[in-house]
Amino acid sequence: MLFDDVADASGRLVATRSRLAKRAVLVDVLRRAAAGGPEDVAIVSRYLGGELRQRRTGLGWRSLGGMPGPAVAPSLTVQAVDAAFAHMAGLAGPGSSTERLEAARALFAAATEREQRLLGGLVSGELRQGALDALLLDAVAQAAGVPADAVRRAAMLAGETEAVAVAALGADSPEDARATLDAFTLTVGRPVRPMLAQSAPDVATAVAELTARAGATAVPAAEVVVDTKLDGIRIQVHRDGDDVRVYTRSLDDVTARVPEIVAAVRALPARTLVLDGEALALDAEGRPRPFQETASRSATRDADLAASATLTPYFFDVLHVDGWDLLDAPLRERLAVLDQVAAPHVVERVVTSDATVASEHFRAVVAAGQEGVVVKATEAPYEAGRRGAAWVKVKPRHTLDLVVLAVERGSGRRSGRLSNIHLGARDSAGGFVMLGKTFKGMTDEMLAWQTERFRELEAADDGWTVTLRPEQVVEIAFDGLQRSTRYPGGFALRFARVLRYRDDKSAAEADTIDAVRELATP
DNA sequence: TTCCGACAGTGGGGTCGCAAT
DNA sequence: ATTGCGACCCCACTATCGGAA
């Protein structure tokens, strides 16, 4: 199959906003890929989902700058493109960067204009065609003549879409496809997509949301599980005898980097296991260390550095134990099993129907230095890959009134707007200390307003960033402070987002860097 | 007819490893 | 030795479509 066929499809996806029309485009190109055989389906399904088959190519957004102009006529096949990226991904050692760039230039030179757009999107990871994995799964279902749920479930259990697309589209009939899909089951050693949580502003809201959903039959005061939310990295651990594998949230295998987790799981009383949890670094008193330290420890491959801190695993769910799949069992049942098989490494929780008790647990765990809680429906199954309503996280929220120091131009649907704002706190000398940036929390109306407003405050414009007279106050919400070498105050806001612009306050009334410092040293 | 679940998009800070400078 | 880039860890929030109610 020609790569240009995929580029054409991608262009048609960009051209329509209708998801049904997008799905029709995807179905069409998937069917044509199927005619070319399983290898074409494998590559095309990846590309339509916005990914290369190679997890790391060494090429990124920055490398795309110096690419040559387009070819006039299409010539590349999807297999040739895949082979080119496989070659680039395999390069290492001195001279490899140069060689990789040369290979990329050759590839781009052979690509037409729309093919170049697709290549760029795949390399940068920003395809912007309004359709990624979820819509692709729907299209696979339609192309294979099977229910969308069957395809989705197979993909969640396989931990990937490519293999599922190949299986479904390689089938001779819808019945055959259905059977092939149903053969994707939870397998020890193959990670599933982790279940995700929605968020709520406070525990009472989270509890109310869960009981409202469970309360179709108006059961009064349904019980909920209130799990401690740890500020570490998500881990999914598979054990088959002495063979233990540790995967991250994106299903990356990090087993070699975390021997202490492997050892901890080997000591548990079960032969086969699939556990879902969090790993973090603790201090001498057993309190959690800052996330940055956990991140540092879990990212390093250097043995000496790794020895400087230990990760402790805590589990909050079990998907499999000794031949028994628990995905469809209610949480209540899974937790009973978890407590038996993972005893010293289970996340602290309370189970209650009393919102006050739930709130009290939240206060206690935050006081103990933890990130917050996740409130869960007791009867819900494990919904792999879904940000279901059955899990709702709650974290403390801080706010500050800061001054907008500068603003950057937006891109994509925000192009033409001033979008990403630079945030500063007052210092004692009458100046401002930058604490980070944010683009979050802005409605279209706010974007329109600030685009005009910041033009009024413009002091300089370098073509990307507009520097402002420091007059506009904005109320910012954030999760906490982290150490920073990038910003002059030594702090940066974590997960900053705009709540509202404050026209009732002048810059002289904004919060000070001293107030911020006090937050950092409780 | 209205409501709401799910998804894609728009980017944030920090950390590491690696190759180039 | 330092710098820049790529990859990946954590992530919040809004707009939109189309099925559910």
Side-chain angles (χ1 to χ4, degrees), chain A residues 289-306:
Chain A
R289 294 165 86 165
F291 173 75
Q292 283 162 302
E293 291 181 38
T294 291
S296 166
R297 168 60 187 83
S298 57
T300 190
R301 290 155 199 276
D302 182 292
D304 291 340
L305 235 168

Side-chain angles (χ1 to χ4, degrees), chain A residues 438-457:
Chain A
T438 188
F439 58 91
K440 293 172 182 164
M442 296 159 182
T443 62
D444 285 0
E445 197 183 357
M446 290 165 78
L447 282 163
W449 177 85
Q450 74 186 34
T451 299
E452 266 197 45
R453 168 68 174 154
F454 294 153
R455 281 299 174 194
E456 293 167 12
L457 295 177

Side-chain angles (χ1 to χ4, degrees), chain A residues 39 48 93 95 127 153 157 267 299 310 320 329 369 377 385 442 492:
Chain A
E39 185 69 2
L48 291 173
L127 197 46
R153 184 174 170 89
L157 294 176
T310 311
H320 176 100
M442 296 159 182

Side-chain angles (χ1 to χ4, degrees), chain A residues 358-379:
Chain A
S359 296
E360 182 46 45
H361 183 61
F362 173 75
R363 249 194 312 279
V365 302
V366 170
Q370 310 293 0
E371 191 180 20
V373 297
V374 183
V375 186
K376 300 177 177 178
T378 53
E379 304 308 314

Side-chain angles (χ1 to χ4, degrees), chain A residues 149-496:
Chain A
D149 283 352
V151 174
R152 168 178 290 274
R153 184 174 170 89
M156 299 309 154
L157 294 176
E160 56 150 332
T161 296
E162 182 186 305
V164 172
V166 169
L169 294 167
D172 299 326
S173 66
E175 294 71 32
D176 185 20
R178 184 63 202 254
T180 317
L181 289 171
D182 289 346
F184 284 92
T185 53
L186 177 66
T187 308
V188 177
R190 187 169 66 184
V192 304
R193 296 195 196 171
M195 183 169 174
L196 306 172
Q198 300 186 348
S199 53
D202 53 64
V203 173
T205 308
V207 171
E209 276 180 20
L210 288 188
T211 49
R213 267 172 240 285
T217 51
V219 180
E223 281 197 327
V224 295
V225 170
V226 187
D227 261 338
T228 306
K229 186 178 195 305
L230 306 177
D231 193 9
I233 64 160
R234 185 86 176 258
I235 51 169
Q236 186 179 130
V237 182
H238 289 237
R239 174 183 184 183
D240 185 359
D242 277 344
D243 185 20
V244 174
R245 303 260 126 207
V246 183
Y247 304 93
T248 64
R249 181 184 141 152
S250 65
L251 309 189
D252 206 14
D253 186 338
V254 291
T255 308
R257 282 186 250 164
V258 291
E260 65 270 50
I261 294 177
V262 172
V265 172
R266 275 196 188 137
L268 299 179
R271 191 181 54 78
T272 64
L273 267 177
V274 177
L275 296 166
D276 189 3
E278 195 89 1
L280 75 171
L282 303 175
D283 67 17
E285 285 78 47
R287 286 176 64 96
R289 294 165 86 165
F291 173 75
Q292 283 162 302
E293 291 181 38
T294 291
S296 166
R297 168 60 187 83
S298 57
T300 190
R301 290 155 199 276
D302 182 292
D304 291 340
L305 235 168
S308 70
T310 311
L311 293 177
T312 307
Y314 290 95
F315 298 105
F316 48 74
D317 218 320
V318 56
L319 314 190
H320 176 100
V321 57
D322 288 337
W324 181 21
D325 282 351
L326 288 153
L327 282 169
D328 295 320
L331 177 63
R332 180 194 303 279
E333 214 173 302
R334 303 202 302 277
L335 291 179
V337 175
L338 181 71
D339 288 343
Q340 294 203 347
V341 298
H345 292 282
V346 175
V347 165
E348 215 177 285
R349 86 176 83 93
V350 299
V351 181
T352 180
S353 56
D354 185 342
T356 315
V357 173
S359 296
E360 182 46 45
H361 183 61
F362 173 75
R363 249 194 312 279
V365 302
V366 170
Q370 310 293 0
E371 191 180 20
V373 297
V374 183
V375 186
K376 300 177 177 178
T378 53
E379 304 308 314
Y382 189 92
E383 299 177 287
R386 301 197 57 200
R387 193 174 292 282
W391 291 9
V392 184
K393 62 181 163 186
V394 183
K395 298 189 283 186
R397 194 190 74 171
H398 306 280
T399 64
L400 287 170
D401 290 326
L402 300 173
V403 175
V404 184
L405 305 177
V407 59
E408 296 174 19
R409 285 170 168 72
S411 65
R413 75 180 294 281
R414 290 192 181 188
S415 53
R417 299 282 169 81
L418 295 177
S419 173
N420 193 8
I421 57 176
H422 297 198
L423 306 167
R426 274 195 301 137
D427 69 15
S428 50
F432 296 91
V433 182
M434 186 168 170
L435 291 171
K437 310 178 190 178
T438 188
F439 58 91
K440 293 172 182 164
M442 296 159 182
T443 62
D444 285 0
E445 197 183 357
M446 290 165 78
L447 282 163
W449 177 85
Q450 74 186 34
T451 299
E452 266 197 45
R453 168 68 174 154
F454 294 153
R455 281 299 174 194
E456 293 167 12
L457 295 177
E458 175 175 340
D461 185 350
D462 68 3
W464 179 251
T465 302
V466 181
T467 308
L468 307 181
R469 300 196 302 277
E471 295 177 17
Q472 180 64 51
V473 176
V474 61
E475 187 179 7
I476 296 295
F478 60 103
D479 276 20
L481 292 164
Q482 48 192 349
R483 268 202 318 280
S484 174
T485 53
R486 175 183 313 219
Y487 292 113
F491 296 108
L493 305 181
R494 192 172 181 202
F495 309 141

